[in-house]
Amino acid sequence: MRAVMRILVFVACAALMPTIALAQAVIAGSVKDSSGAVLPGVNVEATSPELIEKIRTAVTDGTGQYRIEDLRPGAYTVTFSLPGFTTLKREGIELTGTFTATINVELKVGVVAETVTVTGESPVVNIQSARREMTLNNDVLKAIPTVRSYNATVSVVPGVTTNLNDVVTATATTQFPIHGGRNNEGRLMIDGLNIGNPPGGNQPTSYIADVGNAQEVTFTTAGGLGESETAGLVMSVVPKTGGNRKSGALFMSFTGKKLSGDNFNDALRAAGLTAPTPLSNVYDLNGSFGGPIKRDKVWYFLNARTQGSTKIIANVYYNQNAGDQTKWLYSPDLSRPAYNDRTSENASGRITWQISTRNKVGVFWDEQANCRTCIGLTTGITDPPRVAPEARGVSQTKPLRVTQVTWSSPLTNKLLLDAGWGGIYYAWGNFERNPNPTHDLINVVEQCATGCPANGGIPGLVYRSQDWGQNYAGSYSWRASASYVTGRQSLKVGYQGTYLSDIRTWYTNSQDLAYQFNNGVPNRLTESISPWVNNGLGAWHAVFVQDQYTSGRVTLQGALRFDHSASWYPQQQEGPSRFLPTALVIPETPGVDAYKDITPRMGLAYDVFGNGRTAFKFNAGKYLEGMGISNNWANANPTLRMPCTVGPFAPCGVTRAWTDANNNLKPDCDLLDGAAQDLRSSGGDVCGPISNAAFGTTTLTNTFDPALLTGWGVRASDWTLGAAVQQQILPRASIEVAYTRRWFNGFTVYDNQLAAASDFAEYSITAPSDPRLPSGGGYPVSGLYDIAPSLFGRVSNLVTAAKKYGKWSDNFNGVDVTLNVRTGAGWTFQGGTSTGQTAGDNCEARNNLPELGLSPAVNLAQGLPGLTTSPVSPTNPYCHVDYGWLTQLRALSSYIIPKIDVQLSGVLQSKPGALLAANYAVPSQVITQILGRAPAGNPANVTINILAPGQKYGDRINQLDFRAAKILHFGRTRTMVGIDLYNALNSSAVLTYNNTFVPGGTWLQPQTVLTARLIKFSAEITF
């Protein structure tokens, strides 16, 4: 009830305080007479076929300046008129993104009704904003050889890092941090409203954005003001709305196994890849149609699409023993390679209604289903990296529904109002197969610590039985805005709000057990509570004010933003089940209650020479970590604070060492007794203590410091600073050099209150000799810790701020060089390089807290590379990381050969390879010799990473995609028939590796390889 009241209060405040509009383009400038004197009172009209209201107007102020905001992308004509002067009409002004086109004109004294029409080059340097962005218009989006999805389109932005690096053939949940940022900072906006993913910090889910039918897509890379929650990349899709003329398009593309090349070479074969991994099927069929219901009054736009792809998975095959309760080993059927298949279907409709001259309403509905008919092994972002087909269900988002309602009103020539509401609701997770023949079988993972030829030879392979989830999430956002605009000033006051829900239930097999084998021999088991409910709700609200003021050649921008975020958890019930015999009912509980933050941002843009061709830009500000049902907002949930060491994207569970002394593959111990047991004398087994002694009780083993869940300035954040110079080098061409620095704050630690630093024994090991290791191995790996055996499994963590234990730093420095060319002759080039370095250090905190990282915060946004979430643990000692200067190149180009109407286009990506590790399972006997005692918990081995982060990288990923298309014109119909060549150079770069180190073994064996050269045919008819 308290949460509901808070929302009502904020909504009431919003009604009194209208806020920021959807950021769109601007036309601004000044008007003077022939003597150079400013002209106040000039009527300025901007017209475009993209405006359903036809015209937008402004009047120059006392300094002769004017400004028209909130303009949709497209071609504009601006008319300047003043009694006694010649009317001037400026044509051919191209607006994209949030670009401010500066149009300065001179009016001459003239006769009544005399009009002079001029056409000039559109400005390419934004001299009135510090915001940095990259915009792809519809012509470019349709021309370049990429799948028409958000995850394919975002890969052309210099400086971005994505969690998926293969040739994109379909929509998939993709994280896209930029400039060393957190994985949950990216945002996908459709018509100004976020398409969020609550479990992932509200970064995008697997939504099928209608990129091919977008009017444009803009990527904001830096300089966001009060409207920005995070400093991450914002991908804004501006949809088509229809028009006064009926128009439509039919698009299709397809390829198959016979059109796929082969990059399976001797190097891959020598590295351990057993067979190529071709795509066997890719298709995309899309139809759209729009036009007027009533001219200049009501427009519509409809879209329908179906697409899919199928690809072989490297080195994983169907299990010949699947479903057989008498068989415990993985026996690959080499004639049946595992494959992932993805299908996506959607239908959407948009209505735009110009209710009156000054009121416009838009309504949008998009119904989608991902993997409705999938039957292969399609894993998601929370699934294990190596899994046999029988051990995973279908990764579906069915249904996935997006709805939006927007309203905008230029109430006067100076006051603009805007409001909108949008929501996304979807099911997600690894759904149970129907039927599920593995329901009563125990799940197995093969550790492969010293090689595993007796059990399939795949380190970390999960097989035999399926775990699954039945999960539903929703993100519902609203905004309202007011902008007061004069010739040289633009003042905005704003409010935004979002409500989030994440409802999860996780399941495992009917025996609530999982085994770990090492070369087919059990050495550990997991006890789970299934089903396991984990439900979370949350909301955030923000109000802000931002101002922009132009004086001469200088534009100053500033913003102040207030954020309020909170989470809470409805009543939840766990059990009864095997390891929780008595049901546990958890009442509604507050979580983060609440974070309050004030964040300042500022920017400066300077027209260096006063000719609009050279701009110096500077931006600085504090930004927040993206809120979702993740990190502290989720981890304070009692169901995530209970005595578990397995989760949260699985049932709550604990592990224990196990020696199957009687070889019956059954743990002959009392599994309800968490203490160590040696029952060999009575024909039983040896079972170590469980990893959390309070498992199955109501004890909360993670207690949050109250100061971590409430207050001012507590929420994780980062400061961002940028400086750039943008220079016009030719008409319609510019180059920009930009420097970015980011430093992050707000780290948390888990401090076991039952153990002091002195309870941890520090030790070192010697890395094995192996020519693949740095300097051939044989070097010491120190700074490792092992807890006193008497304290193993005794856990009572205090979750609190890391700064209490010492210094923790994480920062990024980088330089981007980008080029933007759009010539009138039909050539487009956009792209550039991004070179940067991430470095982090938490050694001081680790020295005071040896268990650091033993119980890490769990979320979908693990840091890459850096310590935004620490990779440090008692057996991963690298508390200082420096990843070196890494460079990437991303670019696109398109050109239409005149007279023959042949379009050539390409996309180039060159980026660093995978960050490698060497996870070495050190035998327990070795650790015993070093410590003088057995490791705590009596494990068979202890896994230690013996390769420092940043010391070794995988293959550099170079991908060139190319398209050649013939354009045909028949009356009002335009037909494009093209051939796409993906991975044209047929690179065989390894994308992911086996990081399990075995001396002389399969360390760095390829797990996934860049898709081989692929020919795809496409055709589109527009009318």
Side-chain angles (χ1 to χ4, degrees):
M1 179 59 70
R2 288 182 299 166
V4 174
M5 291 303 297
R6 287 173 183 157
I7 293 174
L8 291 175
V9 169
F10 271 96
V11 172
C13 291
L16 300 175
M17 190 184 301
T19 58
I20 183 164
L22 164 64
Q24 291 191 333
V26 178
I27 296 176
S30 63
V31 184
K32 299 179 180 180
D33 65 15
S34 56
S35 70
V38 299
L39 288 178
V42 177
N43 189 57
V44 184
E45 298 178 344
T47 60
S48 171
E50 304 302 333
L51 297 176
I52 192 172
E53 63 268 42
K54 293 185 178 180
I55 189 170
R56 294 285 304 281
T57 63
V59 177
T60 58
D61 62 13
T63 65
Q65 296 185 78
Y66 70 94
R67 187 177 183 88
I68 305 176
E69 294 194 346
D70 194 29
L71 297 174
R72 290 184 60 82
Y76 282 77
T77 297
V78 182
T79 303
F80 303 86
S81 60
L82 182 68
F85 289 82
T86 300
T87 297
L88 180 68
K89 182 179 292 187
R90 173 70 184 272
E91 296 181 336
I93 301 170
E94 295 287 340
L95 294 184
T96 62
T98 62
F99 186 82
T100 299
T102 302
I103 307 296
N104 299 323
V105 300
E106 178 183 297
L107 296 186
K108 298 180 180 180
V109 176
V111 299
V112 177
E114 181 182 3
T115 300
V116 177
T117 301
V118 297
T119 301
E121 295 290 350
S122 288
V124 294
V125 175
N126 191 341
I127 61 173
Q128 292 195 24
S129 176
R131 185 192 300 260
R132 303 205 304 270
E133 64 186 24
M134 175 180 179
T135 299
L136 309 180
N137 63 26
N138 184 258
D139 291 339
V140 173
L141 292 168
K142 289 188 173 185
I144 58 177
T146 61
V147 176
R148 298 178 176 191
S149 65
Y150 84 84
N151 52 311
T153 309
V154 77
S155 65
V156 304
V157 181
V160 76
T161 303
T162 57
N163 62 307
L164 302 176
N165 290 299
D166 199 1
V167 175
V168 178
T169 57
T171 300
T173 299
T174 302
Q175 300 163 329
F176 47 84
I178 193 169
H179 297 145
R182 295 179 171 94
N183 280 17
N184 60 354
E185 68 177 14
R187 292 293 181 265
L188 172 63
M189 312 290 284
I190 305 295
D191 207 15
L193 292 163
N194 186 44
I195 305 298
N197 170 19
N202 229 24
Q203 53 90 22
T205 182
S206 54
Y207 174 68
I208 310 168
D210 190 14
V211 172
N213 287 306
Q215 191 158 344
E216 71 172 22
V217 174
T218 296
F219 301 97
T220 300
T221 59
L225 290 173
E227 73 275 15
S228 300
E229 178 192 14
T230 76
L233 181 71
V234 179
M235 178 179 178
S236 300
V237 179
V238 179
K240 289 185 177 180
T241 58
N244 278 328
R245 187 181 67 176
K246 291 181 179 180
S247 61
L250 292 174
F251 171 80
M252 65 168 293
S253 67
F254 67 92
T255 187
K257 188 174 182 179
K258 292 183 179 180
L259 297 174
S260 179
D262 184 1
N263 60 357
F264 184 54
N265 53 35
D266 290 341
L268 290 176
R269 189 177 291 106
L273 190 66
T274 57
T277 58
L279 276 164
S280 59
N281 183 31
V282 179
Y283 65 91
D284 190 350
L285 181 62
N286 184 201
S288 61
F289 190 75
I293 296 176
K294 184 177 181 180
R295 289 181 60 85
D296 299 328
K297 195 72 173 178
V298 184
W299 293 351
Y300 69 92
F301 191 82
L302 306 175
N303 178 65
R305 185 179 186 183
T306 180
Q307 59 179 321
S309 64
T310 304
K311 185 181 180 182
I312 300 299
I313 299 173
N315 285 3
V316 178
Y317 299 86
Y318 277 82
N319 184 4
Q320 295 182 99
N321 293 332
D324 187 341
Q325 63 179 353
T326 67
K327 301 293 180 63
W328 289 88
L329 300 181
Y330 170 72
S331 176
D333 181 350
L334 299 182
S335 67
R336 296 183 65 204
Y339 65 93
N340 66 55
D341 55 344
R342 301 193 68 88
T343 62
S344 302
E345 302 153 302
N346 78 295
S348 65
R350 181 179 298 274
I351 297 290
T352 303
W353 179 20
Q354 189 70 34
I355 299 175
S356 65
T357 305
R358 298 191 179 276
N359 289 278
K360 180 172 63 177
V361 171
V363 178
F364 176 64
W365 188 290
D366 194 351
E367 195 77 16
Q368 303 191 356
N370 293 330
C371 258
R372 181 177 61 86
T373 57
C374 295
I375 58 174
L377 173 60
T378 304
T379 56
I381 199 170
T382 63
D383 292 322
R386 308 297 281 173
V387 59
E390 77 274 10
R392 269 300 172 270
V394 179
S395 293
Q396 295 180 327
T397 49
K398 185 186 72 171
L400 191 155
R401 180 176 303 119
V402 171
T403 52
Q404 294 182 345
V405 178
T406 59
W407 166 78
S408 62
S409 173
L411 200 60
T412 70
N413 291 339
K414 295 183 179 181
L415 182 60
L416 307 178
L417 302 181
D418 176 275
W421 178 93
I424 176 172
Y425 172 81
Y426 60 98
W428 69 278
N430 164 41
F431 288 87
E432 184 179 20
R433 293 184 183 272
N434 185 18
N436 177 14
T438 73
H439 186 272
D440 298 324
L441 303 183
I442 295 174
N443 179 282
V444 178
V445 58
E446 171 55 57
Q447 185 185 22
C448 205
T450 55
C452 48
N455 196 22
I458 304 175
L461 180 72
V462 178
Y463 67 98
R464 200 169 186 268
S465 178
Q466 180 191 348
D467 290 347
W468 69 96
Q470 191 165 335
N471 313 314
Y472 301 89
S475 177
Y476 307 93
S477 301
W478 51 91
R479 58 177 167 83
S481 70
S483 303
Y484 183 76
V485 183
T486 64
R488 56 182 174 178
Q489 186 175 16
S490 175
L491 175 67
K492 295 184 179 180
V493 184
Y495 165 76
Q496 300 168 336
T498 297
Y499 170 80
L500 303 143
S501 66
D502 184 19
I503 308 301
R504 310 180 197 171
T505 305
W506 300 101
Y507 300 85
T508 190
N509 57 79
S510 62
Q511 301 187 55
D512 293 348
L513 288 175
Y515 294 169
Q516 176 179 280
F517 285 2
N518 185 23
N519 197 24
V521 177
N523 63 8
R524 194 179 75 175
L525 63 85
T526 299
E527 303 173 12
S528 298
I529 300 173
S530 174
W532 185 256
V533 176
N534 178 14
N535 298 336
L537 305 172
W540 65 264
H541 310 270
V543 292
F544 62 89
V545 59
Q546 68 182 39
D547 195 13
Q548 175 170 317
Y549 182 84
T550 300
S551 179
R553 291 187 282 168
V554 178
T555 297
L556 298 176
Q557 298 173 304
L560 198 64
R561 177 182 172 108
F562 168 73
D563 279 83
H564 177 284
S565 64
S567 63
W568 61 96
Y569 318 106
Q571 178 176 296
Q572 302 167 87
Q573 176 175 323
E574 309 294 0
S577 61
R578 178 178 180 179
F579 295 107
L580 188 63
T582 302
L584 173 63
V585 177
I586 304 167
E588 180 177 336
T589 310
V592 171
D593 189 27
Y595 289 151
K596 297 175 280 290
D597 295 271
I598 293 180
T599 51
R601 293 91 184 265
M602 63 86 64
L604 177 148
Y606 178 57
D607 184 1
V608 178
F609 301 110
N611 58 9
R613 297 182 179 181
T614 307
F616 170 77
K617 304 178 181 183
F618 175 83
N619 66 277
K622 182 180 181 182
Y623 299 84
L624 300 173
E625 179 182 31
M627 188 216 165
I629 309 300
S630 57
N631 300 324
N632 290 346
W633 294 283
N635 295 335
N637 191 334
T639 65
L640 290 178
R641 295 160 52 199
M642 299 187 72
C644 309
T645 53
V646 176
F649 298 106
C652 169
V654 290
T655 60
R656 65 195 310 170
W658 170 38
T659 300
D660 185 22
N662 56 20
N663 297 316
N664 66 354
L665 294 173
K666 177 182 177 182
D668 292 310
C669 302
D670 181 2
L671 296 184
L672 292 177
D673 182 354
Q677 303 166 53
D678 187 347
L679 304 180
R680 286 176 292 183
S681 61
S682 60
D685 292 341
V686 179
C687 292
I690 61 176
S691 53
N692 194 316
F695 178 66
T697 72
T698 60
T699 303
L700 297 182
T701 54
N702 290 334
T703 300
F704 274 76
D705 181 348
L708 191 64
L709 297 179
T710 187
W712 293 86
V714 178
R715 182 173 170 182
S717 62
D718 67 277
W719 283 88
T720 297
L721 179 149
V725 174
Q726 186 181 13
Q727 173 68 53
Q728 180 176 329
I729 53 178
L730 292 169
R732 302 174 69 90
S734 67
I735 188 172
E736 182 177 76
V737 179
Y739 166 75
T740 300
R741 176 174 174 82
R742 300 182 68 181
W743 54 103
F744 299 85
N745 308 288
F747 307 106
T748 60
V749 296
Y750 286 62
D751 180 4
N752 187 354
Q753 301 292 285
L754 302 180
S758 58
D759 293 318
F760 288 82
E762 185 174 1
Y763 66 99
S764 301
I765 67 166
T766 300
S769 296
D770 192 301
R772 299 169 297 176
L773 292 173
S775 303
Y779 49 83
V781 178
S782 58
L784 306 170
Y785 293 97
D786 188 72
I787 195 170
S790 61
L791 294 176
F792 181 83
R794 296 183 61 193
V795 182
S796 179
N797 286 324
L798 173 66
V799 188
T800 188
K803 62 185 179 182
K804 295 181 179 181
Y805 297 83
K807 181 181 178 182
W808 188 322
S809 65
D810 184 15
N811 59 69
F812 170 86
N813 289 276
V815 176
D816 295 352
V817 179
T818 55
L819 183 65
N820 186 1
V821 180
R822 294 182 183 180
T823 70
W827 178 45
T828 295
F829 179 92
Q830 293 176 267
T833 63
S834 181
T835 300
Q837 175 178 251
T838 298
D841 190 298
N842 62 2
C843 293
E844 186 175 316
R846 186 174 190 261
N847 289 339
N848 295 319
L849 196 66
E851 68 265 38
L852 182 65
L854 194 61
S855 298
V858 195
N859 56 79
L860 277 179
Q862 299 300 313
L864 58 39
L867 293 176
T868 47
T869 53
S870 174
V872 170
S873 73
T875 56
N876 194 23
Y878 308 105
C879 56
H880 178 86
V881 291
D882 189 338
Y883 294 94
W885 290 90
L886 304 176
T887 297
Q888 59 171 251
L889 166 66
R890 299 175 187 266
L892 63 89
S893 185
S894 174
Y895 178 64
I896 298 179
I897 302 175
K899 296 184 179 180
I900 62 173
D901 279 346
V902 171
Q903 184 175 65
L904 304 177
S905 62
V907 173
L908 174 64
Q909 301 178 61
S910 179
K911 48 200 175 185
L915 180 70
L916 301 179
N919 298 318
Y920 176 41
V922 183
S924 180
Q925 300 92 316
V926 174
I927 305 296
T928 299
Q929 292 175 358
I930 297 171
L931 290 174
R933 60 168 174 80
N938 296 310
N941 49 63
V942 177
T943 300
I944 297 172
N945 179 18
I946 59 175
L947 184 68
Q951 206 168 2
K952 192 177 181 69
Y953 288 89
D955 292 345
R956 188 168 183 88
I957 304 167
N958 298 312
Q959 180 185 335
L960 173 64
D961 303 326
F962 178 77
R963 171 181 291 173
K966 172 62 178 175
I967 300 173
L968 305 170
H969 296 274
F970 301 98
R972 290 182 55 193
T973 300
R974 179 184 186 270
T975 302
M976 181 279 295
V977 180
I979 299 177
D980 293 355
L981 199 60
Y982 291 93
N983 189 13
L985 302 180
N986 205 33
S987 167
S988 58
V990 179
L991 303 179
T992 59
Y993 296 79
N994 166 33
N995 284 314
T996 298
F997 178 81
V998 176
T1002 59
W1003 181 51
L1004 302 186
Q1005 180 185 56
Q1007 291 185 336
T1008 59
V1009 177
L1010 192 67
T1011 297
R1013 182 188 294 121
L1014 178 71
I1015 297 174
K1016 187 177 74 171
F1017 293 100
S1018 61
E1020 183 174 46
I1021 302 173
T1022 57
F1023 52 90

